[in-house]
Amino acid sequence: MTKRLTVAERLASTAKDALLDDIARHSEWDRFLVEQAVLHFGEHHDTFSCNVIRDVLPDLGHGFLGAAINSLRTAGVIERTGQYVPSTSGPTHGHAIAVWKLTDKGRRIAAQRRANRQQGRAAA
């Protein structure tokens, strides 16, 4: 038997769907920037949080960074460490955010991109 949703739950679900649709409309460039920042920090640091990622990115739409991070997690590029730190984003009022690390797959992707960049420089 399925659970019947309350009016508040239905409204929250509708608002969430609208936000996800807005996030999905972001450009490939925004996704590329987040991916590059994650791969960079993951390759140069054992762990990282969205605090450091947010500091190097231009302003992205509300919720976009979290959605992009979740997508990278789902794709197996990053994983949670089990640690949390307070968010430095003003609107979040310091709530806890996850600390991440690259997976083996993420490290392979970062290494391949680095090798491609070095090949490009050598050819120039």
Side-chain angles (χ1 to χ4, degrees):
M1 177 176 207
T2 60
K3 178 186 173 212
R4 293 181 63 135
L5 298 177
T6 67
V7 172
E9 290 170 326
R10 286 194 306 272
L11 289 173
S13 179
T14 300
K16 178 183 170 191
D17 290 344
L19 177 60
L20 290 175
D21 286 343
D22 183 49
I23 289 168
R25 282 192 287 276
H26 273 273
S27 73
E28 287 292 318
W29 182 247
D30 290 342
R31 286 190 285 275
F32 177 77
L33 287 174
V34 172
E35 182 179 290
Q36 292 305 303
V38 165
L39 292 172
H40 172 81
F41 279 101
E43 191 172 27
H44 292 91
H45 304 281
D46 291 336
T47 63
F48 57 92
S49 73
C50 283
N51 291 335
V52 295
I53 304 292
R54 194 181 318 104
D55 287 346
V56 299
L57 293 174
D59 188 29
L60 302 171
H62 174 73
F64 183 76
L65 179 57
I69 291 290
N70 192 46
S71 176
L72 290 167
R73 180 194 56 80
T74 301
V77 175
I78 60 174
E79 63 187 0
R80 288 186 179 103
T81 64
Q83 299 171 318
Y84 293 86
V85 295
S87 173
T88 58
S89 173
T92 64
H93 305 289
H95 74 78
I97 60 172
V99 175
W100 301 94
K101 66 180 181 177
L102 288 182
T103 61
D104 289 339
K105 177 181 179 180
R107 283 189 289 280
R108 283 192 306 272
I109 292 169
Q112 182 61 51
R113 290 184 182 216
R114 184 176 7 89
N116 290 345
R117 281 193 312 273
Q118 289 171 346
Q119 277 184 335
R121 287 185 198 132

